[in-house]
Amino acid sequence: MKKSDKRKLGDLLVQADMLTVKQLKKALAEQERTGEKLGEILVKRGWVTEQNIVEVLEFQLGIPHVDLSKYAIDPKASSMISESLAKRHMLIPIQIENDRLVVAMSDPLNVYAIDDVKLATKMEVMPVIASLPDVKQAIDRMYGVSKTVSIAEEFRKQMKEKTPKKSDTFDEELEDGVDVLNSPAVKLVNSFIEQAIRRNASDIHIEPFETYVRVRLRIDGQLQEILKTDISAINAIVTRIKILGKMNIAEKRIPQDGRIGVTLDNNQLDLRVNTLPTVYGEKVVIRLLYRTGMQLRKEELGFCESDLMKFESLLMKPHGIILLTGPTGSGKSTTLATALRELNKPNVNIVTVEDPVENMIEGVNQVHVNVKAGMTFASALRAILRQDPDIVMIGEMRDTETASIAVRASITGHLVLSTLHTNDAPSSITRLIDMGIEPYMVATAVEGIIAQRLVRRICKNCKSAVHPTSDEAEILKVARDTVIYKGRGCQTCNNTGYKGRLAVHEVLTLDPETRQMIVKGANADEIKHFAIKNGMITLWENTKRNVLEGNTTVEELLRVAYGQD
């Protein structure tokens, strides 16, 4: 019967001229061989799209379509079936309506799936159609948190039943590898990592306090709490993470660093682990780095038109230093990676030195810093310059020695890209001078500086037009009847009003007058005022432009560009 249902879906697609009979026969044969769902096979082969399937079921059979990315799923409804049942049939209950359970399904013709849900819930089922990616994402979203909470509860109960030895943790079991795969600590750590990856978090924070452990994820630059559990869990969690990161599990008095390789949902990641002893135990922060990185074209980096032209002009320079500046987590690495992809040609030798390598780029020679082995930025850079490079990328100018070598390399015909931590573009000039580089060398070597920040983007699903308050109008210097936008908060954005981020920039290019000012000892404010007079658009103005265009909010303007006006 299931097979006939699958044929029915295929027949509908053929009748709608979205699929040929020959393609359907091939797909059914592959289904017999692999056991995959027919819809998945057809989409994978590129014969139909998810939208084609949705249209056929909606218009020819009258099955309603639901966009789960915009739908507020009722947690009470989704909790009525298990995660395993939801994943087995790729469906999720989304609402209880007139004593019927509304179930979003990627294949609403699967009568076995509907019968299983009826059996599990003792309710009549009303199927609606949703795309497979949307169903998968909804399952991960709705069951992820509850799964973590249930594992934490299992851990707490097991801890109560366990007879204490030297400590009230599973350190000994984890160290000895006893039943490690079924340990609640292992399940809990795996759950944190899975949630972080599926929610596009950049960091996981595991923090011990007097009576509880708090777990938070940094999503779109802001920390969001996902779990609180008993303090007795901390040692077992930290021990498990240390084992994964090949760290010393016996050493709890000093900070440690580790690295974990993870593959989930076809995504390959490096997890950078750092532990820090606190009064209540070791705090752990895990940074998530996608090995492929975020691959953007330069046009997608968020530059305004005039700044994009300046950026393109800088990348065409045959030599000199191009600096990116901004705080940690401001997207500098993504912009640098985009620049390197733009510069990466068969006739160009590009070598990088990074700590760590965050974005793997095909055709670029990338070097890890290894301080313990004596491979510092400076020593690596000296070696790189003997490798006949055309372009050198230095992850960060951290010290005078690295900066001096970079300046000399740029003057001797190399294009050097690097980063600094300063508040704005002009401040990078004085920062280099403070590091011991002579003003005339800075003026000669530096071609351009790009200051960058990331602002949260207003959620498109709950975006609404509003008029600014009197304070906001004063900040923006606009009339009170001006239209700006804010996010009301919805399930798509986890009720934050924001979804995703965009970069804002300040691009300073050095002309002869600016170079002369640097040689004469001008300070950052003098350089900034001169640059603005000559057309530099500040971080404040670029962020304000995004507020007025409806991309972000006044709150974000004040958060990332405060004091930059």
Side-chain angles (χ1 to χ4, degrees):
M1 185 174 180
K2 188 172 183 179
K3 193 175 186 180
S4 66
D5 288 330
K6 297 292 185 183
R7 287 183 183 278
K8 189 176 180 183
L9 172 61
D11 292 340
L12 287 171
L13 289 166
V14 170
Q15 289 167 16
D17 291 328
M18 293 179 179
L19 190 71
T20 67
V21 174
K22 186 177 179 182
Q23 287 171 333
L24 176 59
K25 286 180 179 177
K26 285 184 179 180
L28 290 170
E30 184 174 335
Q31 185 193 25
E32 287 284 345
R33 191 172 66 255
T34 65
E36 287 182 87
K37 294 180 182 296
L38 181 66
E40 288 185 51
I41 294 169
L42 295 173
V43 172
K44 182 177 68 178
R45 283 181 168 266
W47 291 336
V48 298
T49 64
E50 291 284 353
Q51 188 59 33
N52 292 148
I53 295 173
V54 167
E55 287 173 5
V56 162
L57 295 172
E58 185 173 16
F59 296 116
Q60 297 203 23
L61 294 182
I63 299 175
H65 166 239
V66 171
D67 184 351
L68 291 181
S69 66
K70 299 179 179 179
Y71 194 90
I73 297 173
D74 183 354
K76 185 179 176 184
S78 62
S79 66
M80 295 191 71
I81 66 168
S82 66
E83 182 182 6
S84 59
L85 177 59
K87 285 186 172 178
R88 182 162 71 248
H89 294 305
M90 276 300 129
L91 53 81
I92 184 167
I94 60 173
Q95 190 180 346
I96 299 170
E97 187 178 283
N98 300 325
D99 295 326
R100 290 189 304 171
L101 192 64
V102 181
V103 180
M105 308 175 65
S106 64
D107 180 9
L109 299 179
N110 186 343
V111 291
Y112 284 139
I114 293 172
D115 288 344
D116 282 351
V117 174
K118 284 181 181 177
L119 194 63
T121 63
K122 307 293 190 293
M123 293 183 72
E124 282 299 311
V125 172
M126 175 184 168
V128 295
I129 178 71
S131 70
L132 184 59
D134 279 357
V135 172
K136 285 180 177 177
Q137 192 175 41
I139 290 172
D140 290 338
R141 186 173 72 240
M142 297 306 296
Y143 292 104
V145 174
S146 60
K147 178 181 175 184
T148 303
V149 171
S150 65
I151 292 170
E153 182 61 21
E154 178 190 350
F155 186 97
R156 190 184 64 78
K157 287 179 181 176
Q158 194 164 338
M159 286 297 302
K160 278 189 173 181
E161 295 167 3
K162 183 177 170 65
T163 304
K165 295 179 184 177
K166 294 182 295 182
S167 63
D168 293 328
T169 69
F170 288 126
D171 288 27
E172 296 86 357
E173 286 184 18
L174 288 169
E175 288 174 29
D176 297 336
V178 177
D179 198 23
V180 76
L181 293 178
N182 294 316
S183 165
V186 173
K187 294 178 184 176
L188 203 51
V189 170
N190 289 347
S191 178
F192 299 158
I193 294 171
E194 283 179 22
Q195 274 202 70
I197 294 170
R198 286 173 175 156
R199 294 175 68 175
N200 294 317
S202 60
D203 302 87
I204 306 169
H205 289 243
I206 301 164
E207 304 162 305
F209 295 97
E210 186 174 4
T211 60
Y212 63 91
V213 180
R214 178 174 67 182
V215 180
R216 297 189 290 175
L217 305 181
R218 189 175 293 280
I219 301 170
D220 291 339
Q222 300 295 303
L223 286 168
Q224 298 179 16
E225 184 179 304
I226 62 165
L227 179 72
K228 273 185 182 177
T229 190
D230 194 85
I231 186 61
S232 59
I234 188 61
N235 285 349
I237 291 170
V238 173
T239 300
R240 175 57 182 166
I241 292 170
K242 284 182 176 179
I243 290 170
L244 291 172
K246 297 178 174 58
M247 299 152 76
N248 184 352
I249 57 178
E251 181 56 76
K252 302 179 181 182
R253 300 163 300 173
I254 60 173
Q256 292 190 65
D257 292 297
R259 176 180 170 182
I260 306 169
V262 170
T263 301
L264 180 70
D265 298 338
N266 296 320
N267 290 316
Q268 287 188 316
L269 297 94
D270 281 330
L271 309 185
R272 307 292 176 168
V273 184
N274 178 263
T275 64
L276 179 71
T278 73
V279 290
Y280 296 116
E282 291 177 278
K283 178 180 191 278
V284 181
V285 174
I286 304 173
R287 169 149 287 193
L288 285 73
L289 302 172
Y290 287 81
R291 289 181 188 169
T292 54
M294 187 181 290
Q295 298 192 20
L296 300 176
R297 294 178 295 109
K298 62 181 185 296
E299 292 82 9
E300 298 173 312
L301 289 172
F303 287 104
C304 65
E305 189 174 345
S306 60
D307 282 349
L308 180 60
M309 290 173 64
K310 291 178 185 177
F311 182 58
E312 290 174 331
S313 174
L314 288 173
L315 295 183
M316 293 173 65
K317 300 284 184 184
H319 53 75
I321 295 177
I322 302 171
L323 288 173
L324 267 93
T325 181
T328 301
S330 60
K332 299 188 299 295
S333 296
T334 299
T335 301
L336 273 177
T338 301
L340 290 178
R341 289 190 187 95
E342 187 77 13
L343 295 166
N344 190 14
K345 303 286 190 300
N347 62 334
V348 175
N349 179 24
I350 303 176
V351 189
T352 77
V353 52
E354 305 170 64
D355 182 24
V357 173
E358 294 186 15
N359 295 283
M360 304 298 291
I361 304 172
E362 184 70 29
V364 173
N365 305 282
Q366 295 174 271
V367 178
H368 274 293
V369 164
N370 188 340
V371 177
K372 289 181 181 177
M375 176 76 91
T376 63
F377 275 109
S379 62
L381 188 51
R382 277 193 292 269
I384 285 169
L385 293 175
R386 295 192 289 272
Q387 289 281 316
D388 185 33
D390 298 297
I391 298 168
V392 177
M393 193 277 273
I394 307 165
E396 184 182 343
M397 286 193 189
R398 293 181 179 175
D399 52 59
T400 301
E401 188 179 9
T402 304
S404 298
I405 299 169
V407 167
R408 288 198 296 273
S410 69
I411 292 172
T412 55
H414 303 89
L415 183 63
V416 179
L417 286 76
S418 189
T419 69
L420 272 178
H421 289 287
T422 57
N423 289 330
D424 57 13
S427 297
S428 299
I429 300 292
T430 52
R431 172 75 178 124
L432 288 173
I433 294 170
D434 289 343
M435 290 172 73
I437 310 300
E438 291 293 336
Y440 77 91
M441 294 284 278
V442 174
T444 304
V446 176
E447 291 292 341
I449 303 163
I450 302 164
Q452 179 167 314
R453 299 288 190 279
L454 291 178
V455 297
R456 290 184 291 171
R457 191 188 293 271
I458 297 171
C459 173
K460 293 179 180 178
N461 189 47
C462 61
K463 183 176 179 179
S464 58
V466 296
H467 292 300
T469 64
S470 56
D471 287 344
E472 289 173 337
E474 177 66 26
I475 290 165
L476 295 171
K477 295 188 170 46
V478 296
R480 285 290 304 277
D481 60 354
T482 303
V483 174
I484 60 173
Y485 293 86
K486 292 186 179 181
R488 295 186 306 273
C490 64
Q491 186 164 341
T492 300
C493 61
N494 201 26
N495 293 313
T496 62
Y498 299 96
K499 184 72 174 175
R501 291 189 287 178
L502 67 138
V504 290
H505 307 87
E506 176 177 284
V507 183
L508 171 65
T509 54
L510 272 65
D511 56 20
E513 291 87 353
T514 308
R515 296 184 198 277
Q516 192 64 35
M517 289 178 70
I518 295 168
V519 172
K520 289 180 177 178
N523 61 37
D525 285 340
E526 291 169 335
I527 295 169
K528 181 175 183 175
H529 291 145
F530 181 79
I532 292 171
K533 194 169 70 174
N534 282 271
M536 183 182 82
I537 305 172
T538 63
L539 280 167
W540 177 275
E541 288 299 326
N542 265 323
T543 312
K544 176 182 166 182
R545 172 181 58 83
N546 276 286
V547 172
L548 296 175
E549 288 178 359
N551 298 321
T552 192
T553 63
V554 176
E555 288 83 357
E556 286 295 283
L557 169 65
L558 294 173
R559 183 178 68 84
V560 305
Y562 179 76
Q564 299 295 322
D565 191 11

Coordinates of all heavy atoms in Angstrom, one line a residue, residues 342-402:
E342 N 38.9 36.6 -4.0 CA 38.9 37.5 -5.1 C 40.3 37.6 -5.8 O 40.5 37.7 -7.0 CB 38.5 38.9 -4.6 CG 38.3 39.9 -5.7 CD 37.0 39.8 -6.4 OE1 36.1 39.0 -6.0 OE2 36.8 40.4 -7.5
L343 N 41.4 37.5 -4.9 CA 42.7 37.7 -5.4 C 43.3 36.4 -5.9 O 44.4 36.4 -6.5 CB 43.6 38.2 -4.2 CG 43.3 39.7 -3.8 CD1 43.9 39.9 -2.4 CD2 43.7 40.7 -4.8
N344 N 42.7 35.3 -5.5 CA 43.3 33.9 -5.8 C 43.2 33.6 -7.3 O 42.1 33.3 -7.9 CB 42.5 32.9 -5.0 CG 43.1 31.5 -5.1 OD1 44.3 31.4 -5.5 ND2 42.4 30.5 -4.6
K345 N 44.3 33.7 -8.0 CA 44.4 33.4 -9.4 C 45.5 32.4 -9.7 O 46.4 32.3 -8.9 CB 44.7 34.7 -10.2 CG 43.7 35.8 -10.0 CD 42.4 35.6 -10.7 CE 41.5 36.8 -10.7 NZ 41.1 37.3 -9.4
P346 N 45.5 31.7 -10.8 CA 46.5 30.7 -11.1 C 47.9 31.2 -11.1 O 48.9 30.5 -10.9 CB 46.1 30.1 -12.5 CG 44.6 30.4 -12.6 CD 44.4 31.7 -11.8
N347 N 48.1 32.5 -11.4 CA 49.4 33.1 -11.6 C 49.8 33.9 -10.3 O 50.8 34.6 -10.3 CB 49.5 34.1 -12.8 CG 48.5 35.2 -12.6 OD1 47.5 35.1 -11.9 ND2 48.8 36.4 -13.3
V348 N 49.1 33.7 -9.2 CA 49.4 34.4 -7.9 C 49.7 33.4 -6.8 O 48.9 32.4 -6.6 CB 48.2 35.3 -7.5 CG1 48.5 36.0 -6.2 CG2 48.0 36.4 -8.6
N349 N 50.8 33.6 -6.1 CA 51.1 32.8 -4.9 C 50.7 33.5 -3.6 O 51.2 34.5 -3.3 CB 52.6 32.5 -4.9 CG 53.0 31.7 -3.7 OD1 52.2 30.9 -3.1 ND2 54.3 31.8 -3.3
I350 N 49.6 32.9 -3.0 CA 49.1 33.5 -1.8 C 49.5 32.6 -0.6 O 49.2 31.4 -0.6 CB 47.6 33.7 -1.8 CG1 47.2 34.5 -3.0 CG2 47.1 34.3 -0.5 CD1 45.7 34.7 -3.2
V351 N 50.0 33.1 0.5 CA 50.4 32.4 1.7 C 49.8 33.1 2.9 O 49.9 34.3 3.0 CB 51.9 32.2 1.9 CG1 52.1 31.2 3.0 CG2 52.5 31.7 0.6
T352 N 49.1 32.4 3.8 CA 48.6 33.0 5.0 C 49.2 32.4 6.2 O 49.7 31.3 6.2 CB 47.1 32.7 5.1 OG1 46.8 31.4 5.5 CG2 46.4 33.0 3.8
V353 N 49.2 33.2 7.3 CA 49.6 32.6 8.6 C 48.5 33.0 9.6 O 48.2 34.2 9.7 CB 51.0 33.1 9.1 CG1 51.1 34.6 9.0 CG2 51.3 32.7 10.5
E354 N 47.9 32.0 10.2 CA 46.6 32.3 11.0 C 46.6 31.5 12.3 O 47.3 30.5 12.4 CB 45.4 31.9 10.2 CG 45.3 32.5 8.8 CD 44.2 31.9 7.9 OE1 43.0 32.0 8.3 OE2 44.6 31.3 6.9
D355 N 45.9 32.0 13.3 CA 45.8 31.4 14.6 C 44.3 31.5 15.1 O 44.0 32.4 15.8 CB 46.7 32.0 15.6 CG 46.7 31.3 16.9 OD1 46.3 30.1 17.0 OD2 47.0 32.0 17.9
P356 N 43.5 30.5 14.7 CA 43.7 29.3 13.9 C 43.3 29.6 12.4 O 42.8 30.7 12.2 CB 42.8 28.3 14.5 CG 41.6 29.1 14.9 CD 42.1 30.4 15.4
V357 N 43.5 28.6 11.5 CA 43.0 28.8 10.2 C 41.4 28.6 10.3 O 41.0 27.5 10.7 CB 43.6 27.7 9.2 CG1 42.9 27.8 7.9 CG2 45.1 28.0 9.1
E358 N 40.7 29.6 9.9 CA 39.2 29.5 10.1 C 38.5 29.2 8.8 O 37.5 28.5 8.8 CB 38.7 30.9 10.7 CG 39.2 31.2 12.1 CD 38.5 32.4 12.6 OE1 37.5 32.9 12.1 OE2 39.0 32.9 13.6
N359 N 39.0 29.7 7.7 CA 38.3 29.5 6.4 C 39.3 28.8 5.5 O 40.3 29.3 5.1 CB 37.9 30.8 5.8 CG 36.8 31.5 6.6 OD1 35.7 31.1 6.6 ND2 37.2 32.5 7.3
M360 N 39.0 27.5 5.1 CA 39.8 26.8 4.2 C 39.5 27.3 2.7 O 38.3 27.3 2.3 CB 39.5 25.3 4.3 CG 39.7 24.7 5.7 SD 41.4 24.9 6.3 CE 42.2 23.7 5.2
I361 N 40.6 27.7 2.0 CA 40.4 28.3 0.7 C 41.2 27.5 -0.3 O 42.4 27.4 -0.2 CB 40.8 29.8 0.7 CG1 40.0 30.6 1.7 CG2 40.6 30.4 -0.7 CD1 40.5 32.0 1.9
E362 N 40.6 26.9 -1.3 CA 41.2 26.1 -2.3 C 42.2 26.9 -3.0 O 41.9 28.0 -3.5 CB 40.2 25.5 -3.3 CG 40.7 24.6 -4.3 CD 41.2 23.3 -3.8 OE1 40.6 22.8 -2.7 OE2 42.1 22.7 -4.3
G363 N 43.5 26.4 -3.2 CA 44.5 27.1 -3.9 C 45.3 28.1 -3.1 O 46.2 28.8 -3.7
V364 N 45.0 28.3 -1.8 CA 45.8 29.2 -1.0 C 46.5 28.4 0.0 O 46.0 27.5 0.7 CB 44.8 30.2 -0.3 CG1 45.6 31.0 0.8 CG2 44.1 31.1 -1.3
N365 N 47.8 28.7 0.2 CA 48.7 28.0 1.2 C 48.5 28.6 2.6 O 48.8 29.8 2.8 CB 50.2 28.2 0.8 CG 50.4 27.8 -0.7 OD1 50.5 26.6 -0.9 ND2 50.5 28.7 -1.6
Q366 N 47.9 27.8 3.5 CA 47.5 28.3 4.8 C 48.3 27.7 5.9 O 48.5 26.5 5.9 CB 46.0 28.1 5.0 CG 45.2 29.0 4.0 CD 43.7 28.7 4.1 OE1 43.2 27.8 3.4 NE2 43.0 29.4 4.9
V367 N 48.8 28.5 6.8 CA 49.8 28.0 7.8 C 49.2 28.3 9.2 O 48.7 29.4 9.5 CB 51.1 28.8 7.7 CG1 52.1 28.3 8.8 CG2 51.8 28.5 6.3
H368 N 49.2 27.2 10.0 CA 48.8 27.4 11.4 C 49.9 27.9 12.3 O 51.1 27.5 12.2 CB 48.4 26.0 12.0 CG 47.0 25.5 11.7 ND1 45.9 26.2 12.3 CD2 46.6 24.5 11.0 CE1 44.8 25.5 11.9 NE2 45.2 24.5 11.1
V369 N 49.6 28.8 13.2 CA 50.5 29.3 14.2 C 50.6 28.2 15.3 O 49.6 27.6 15.6 CB 50.1 30.6 14.9 CG1 50.8 30.8 16.2 CG2 50.3 31.8 13.9
N370 N 51.8 27.9 15.7 CA 52.0 26.9 16.8 C 53.1 27.4 17.8 O 54.3 27.2 17.6 CB 52.4 25.5 16.2 CG 52.5 24.4 17.3 OD1 52.6 24.7 18.5 ND2 52.5 23.2 16.8
V371 N 52.6 28.2 18.7 CA 53.5 28.9 19.6 C 54.4 27.9 20.4 O 55.6 28.2 20.6 CB 52.7 29.8 20.6 CG1 53.6 30.5 21.6 CG2 51.9 30.9 19.8
K372 N 53.8 26.8 20.9 CA 54.6 25.8 21.6 C 55.8 25.3 20.9 O 56.8 25.0 21.4 CB 53.7 24.7 22.1 CG 52.7 25.0 23.1 CD 51.8 23.8 23.5 CE 50.8 24.2 24.6 NZ 49.9 23.1 24.9
A373 N 55.6 25.1 19.5 CA 56.7 24.6 18.7 C 57.6 25.7 18.2 O 58.5 25.5 17.4 CB 56.1 23.8 17.5
G374 N 57.3 27.0 18.6 CA 58.1 28.1 18.1 C 57.6 28.7 16.8 O 58.3 29.6 16.3
M375 N 56.5 28.3 16.3 CA 55.9 28.9 15.1 C 55.0 30.0 15.5 O 53.8 29.9 15.6 CB 55.2 27.8 14.3 CG 54.5 28.3 13.1 SD 55.6 28.7 11.7 CE 55.5 27.1 10.9
T376 N 55.6 31.2 15.7 CA 54.8 32.4 16.0 C 54.5 33.1 14.7 O 54.9 32.7 13.6 CB 55.6 33.3 16.9 OG1 56.8 33.8 16.2 CG2 56.0 32.7 18.2
F377 N 53.7 34.2 14.8 CA 53.3 35.0 13.6 C 54.6 35.5 13.0 O 54.8 35.4 11.8 CB 52.4 36.1 14.0 CG 51.0 35.8 14.0 CD1 50.3 35.7 15.2 CD2 50.3 35.6 12.8 CE1 48.9 35.4 15.2 CE2 48.9 35.3 12.8 CZ 48.3 35.2 14.0
A378 N 55.5 36.0 13.8 CA 56.8 36.6 13.3 C 57.7 35.5 12.6 O 58.1 35.8 11.5 CB 57.5 37.3 14.4
S379 N 57.9 34.4 13.3 CA 58.7 33.4 12.7 C 58.1 32.8 11.4 O 58.8 32.5 10.4 CB 59.0 32.3 13.7 OG 57.9 31.6 14.1
A380 N 56.8 32.6 11.4 CA 56.1 32.0 10.3 C 56.2 33.0 9.1 O 56.5 32.7 8.0 CB 54.7 31.7 10.6
L381 N 56.1 34.3 9.4 CA 56.1 35.4 8.4 C 57.5 35.4 7.8 O 57.6 35.6 6.5 CB 55.7 36.7 9.0 CG 55.5 37.9 8.1 CD1 54.6 37.5 6.9 CD2 55.0 39.1 8.9
R382 N 58.5 35.3 8.6 CA 59.9 35.3 8.0 C 60.1 34.2 7.0 O 60.7 34.3 6.0 CB 60.9 35.2 9.1 CG 61.2 36.6 9.8 CD 62.5 36.5 10.7 NE 62.2 35.7 11.8 CZ 61.8 36.1 13.0 NH1 61.6 37.4 13.2 NH2 61.6 35.3 14.0
A383 N 59.6 33.0 7.4 CA 59.7 31.8 6.5 C 58.9 32.0 5.3 O 59.3 31.6 4.1 CB 59.2 30.5 7.3
I384 N 57.7 32.6 5.4 CA 56.8 32.8 4.3 C 57.4 33.7 3.2 O 57.3 33.4 2.0 CB 55.4 33.4 4.8 CG1 54.6 32.3 5.4 CG2 54.6 34.0 3.6 CD1 53.4 32.8 6.2
L385 N 58.1 34.7 3.7 CA 58.8 35.6 2.7 C 59.9 35.0 1.9 O 60.3 35.5 0.9 CB 59.3 36.9 3.5 CG 58.2 37.7 4.1 CD1 58.8 38.9 4.9 CD2 57.3 38.3 3.0
R386 N 60.3 33.8 2.3 CA 61.3 33.0 1.5 C 60.6 32.0 0.6 O 61.3 31.3 -0.1 CB 62.3 32.3 2.5 CG 63.2 33.2 3.3 CD 64.3 32.5 4.0 NE 63.8 31.7 5.1 CZ 63.7 32.1 6.3 NH1 64.0 33.3 6.6 NH2 63.3 31.3 7.3
Q387 N 59.3 32.1 0.6 CA 58.5 31.2 -0.2 C 58.0 31.8 -1.5 O 57.0 31.4 -2.1 CB 57.3 30.7 0.6 CG 57.6 29.7 1.7 CD 57.9 28.3 1.2 OE1 57.1 27.8 0.3 NE2 58.9 27.7 1.6
D388 N 58.6 33.0 -1.9 CA 58.3 33.7 -3.1 C 56.8 34.0 -3.2 O 56.1 33.7 -4.2 CB 58.7 32.9 -4.3 CG 58.5 33.7 -5.6 OD1 58.6 34.9 -5.6 OD2 58.2 33.0 -6.7
P389 N 56.2 34.7 -2.1 CA 54.8 35.0 -2.2 C 54.5 36.3 -3.0 O 55.4 37.2 -3.1 CB 54.4 35.2 -0.7 CG 55.7 35.8 -0.1 CD 56.8 35.1 -0.9
D390 N 53.3 36.4 -3.6 CA 52.9 37.6 -4.1 C 52.0 38.4 -3.1 O 52.0 39.6 -3.0 CB 52.1 37.4 -5.4 CG 52.9 36.7 -6.5 OD1 53.9 37.3 -6.9 OD2 52.6 35.5 -6.9
I391 N 51.2 37.6 -2.4 CA 50.3 38.1 -1.4 C 50.4 37.4 -0.1 O 50.5 36.1 -0.1 CB 48.8 38.0 -1.9 CG1 48.6 38.8 -3.2 CG2 47.8 38.5 -0.9 CD1 47.3 38.6 -3.9
V392 N 50.5 38.1 1.0 CA 50.6 37.5 2.3 C 49.4 38.0 3.2 O 49.1 39.1 3.2 CB 51.9 37.9 3.0 CG1 52.0 37.3 4.4 CG2 53.1 37.4 2.2
M393 N 48.8 37.0 3.9 CA 47.8 37.4 4.8 C 48.2 37.0 6.2 O 48.5 35.8 6.4 CB 46.4 36.7 4.5 CG 45.2 37.3 5.2 SD 45.0 36.6 6.9 CE 44.0 35.2 6.5
I394 N 48.2 37.9 7.1 CA 48.6 37.7 8.5 C 47.3 37.8 9.3 O 46.7 38.8 9.3 CB 49.6 38.7 9.0 CG1 50.8 38.8 8.0 CG2 50.1 38.4 10.4 CD1 51.7 40.1 8.2
G395 N 47.0 36.7 10.1 CA 45.8 36.7 10.8 C 45.6 37.9 11.7 O 44.5 38.4 11.8
E396 N 46.7 38.3 12.4 CA 46.6 39.5 13.3 C 48.0 40.0 13.5 O 48.9 39.3 13.8 CB 45.9 39.1 14.6 CG 45.7 40.2 15.6 CD 45.1 39.8 16.9 OE1 44.6 38.7 17.0 OE2 45.2 40.6 17.8
M397 N 48.1 41.3 13.5 CA 49.3 42.0 13.9 C 49.3 42.2 15.4 O 48.7 43.2 15.9 CB 49.5 43.4 13.2 CG 49.8 43.2 11.8 SD 50.4 44.8 11.1 CE 50.5 44.5 9.3
R398 N 49.9 41.3 16.1 CA 49.8 41.3 17.6 C 51.0 42.0 18.3 O 50.9 42.3 19.4 CB 49.8 39.8 18.1 CG 48.5 39.1 17.7 CD 48.5 37.7 18.3 NE 47.2 37.0 18.0 CZ 47.0 35.7 18.2 NH1 47.9 35.0 18.9 NH2 45.8 35.2 17.9
D399 N 52.1 42.1 17.6 CA 53.3 42.6 18.3 C 54.1 43.4 17.3 O 53.9 43.4 16.1 CB 54.2 41.5 18.8 CG 54.5 40.4 17.8 OD1 55.1 40.7 16.8 OD2 54.1 39.2 18.0
T400 N 55.1 44.1 17.8 CA 56.0 45.0 17.0 C 56.8 44.2 16.0 O 56.9 44.7 14.8 CB 57.0 45.7 18.0 OG1 56.2 46.5 18.9 CG2 57.9 46.7 17.2
E401 N 57.3 43.0 16.3 CA 58.1 42.3 15.4 C 57.3 41.9 14.2 O 57.7 42.0 13.0 CB 58.6 41.0 16.1 CG 59.6 40.2 15.2 CD 60.2 39.0 16.0 OE1 59.6 38.6 17.0 OE2 61.1 38.4 15.4
T402 N 56.0 41.4 14.4 CA 55.2 41.0 13.2 C 54.9 42.2 12.4 O 54.9 42.1 11.2 CB 53.9 40.3 13.8 OG1 54.2 39.3 14.6 CG2 53.0 39.9 12.6

